[in-house]
Amino acid sequence: MHSSDGRPREARGARLDDPWYDALASGWGESDDTAAPESTPPVVGDVYLEVQRSAAFRDVRSRYRRFVVPAVAVFLSWYVAYVVAATAAPELMARPVAGAVNVAMVAGLGQFLTTFLFTWAYARHARLRRDRAALELRWETQELARVTQGGAS
């Protein structure tokens, strides 16, 4: 049997031109504990853990949660109410509102409207209450990470 390039396939073993074979043969992916330094330099990951424990980070997260948790609860309640009403009270949903438009159509369009309304409210809340604090936190984190990486080299 031949491969796609016309050369015979080997029954066993890796081909010599296989890049994964070369990587594994060179010890790639294996840990080498013999060259571990005596004292470990500061790690960039520690900067992120420090920032995560900071009051500024907790403030940004709490502002996010104070908006998102109630908004999700309201939206899911509205959606579940729509689905339950459509299933449990079809005569209510079939009641005409104006001409051929019935309650189900109005409620369904209301779902779209509230989706856009919540998206607008979320973007406004983020812009007014979180973005500036999050951006300042991000710049501080990047500066700390840069200093840590600079000190490690």
Side-chain angles (χ1 to χ4, degrees):
M1 178 177 269
H2 290 2
S3 65
S4 61
D5 60 0
R7 292 184 293 169
R9 289 190 184 181
E10 298 175 20
R12 294 181 189 259
R15 293 186 348 227
L16 295 177
D17 62 340
D18 185 4
W20 292 107
Y21 175 78
D22 293 339
L24 292 175
S26 67
W28 178 77
E30 298 174 6
S31 63
D32 184 19
D33 294 334
T34 58
E38 293 297 322
S39 64
T40 58
V43 180
V44 177
D46 294 340
V47 170
Y48 292 101
L49 290 174
E50 180 181 329
V51 168
Q52 186 179 8
R53 293 182 194 113
S54 71
F57 183 81
R58 285 194 306 268
D59 183 49
V60 170
R61 293 283 300 215
S62 70
R63 289 179 186 184
Y64 171 78
R65 286 186 186 126
R66 279 194 304 252
F67 179 83
V68 169
V69 170
V72 167
V74 167
F75 187 77
L76 285 178
S77 299
W78 162 230
Y79 177 74
V80 168
Y82 173 73
V83 171
V84 168
T87 315
E91 59 280 344
L92 170 71
M93 298 299 269
R95 186 172 298 164
V97 174
V101 177
N102 59 18
V103 173
M105 291 173 133
V106 171
L109 290 173
Q111 291 286 317
F112 284 105
L113 179 64
T114 55
T115 299
F116 292 120
L117 181 67
F118 274 115
T119 302
W120 170 80
Y122 176 82
R124 183 176 186 276
H125 180 269
R127 186 179 65 249
L128 295 177
R129 302 232 175 14
R130 290 192 325 266
D131 284 352
R132 182 168 289 136
L135 187 60
E136 289 172 6
L137 189 62
R138 179 178 172 195
W139 283 112
E140 291 173 17
T141 303
Q142 289 178 350
E143 182 63 24
L144 285 171
R146 187 185 63 75
V147 168
T148 301
Q149 286 176 342
S153 29

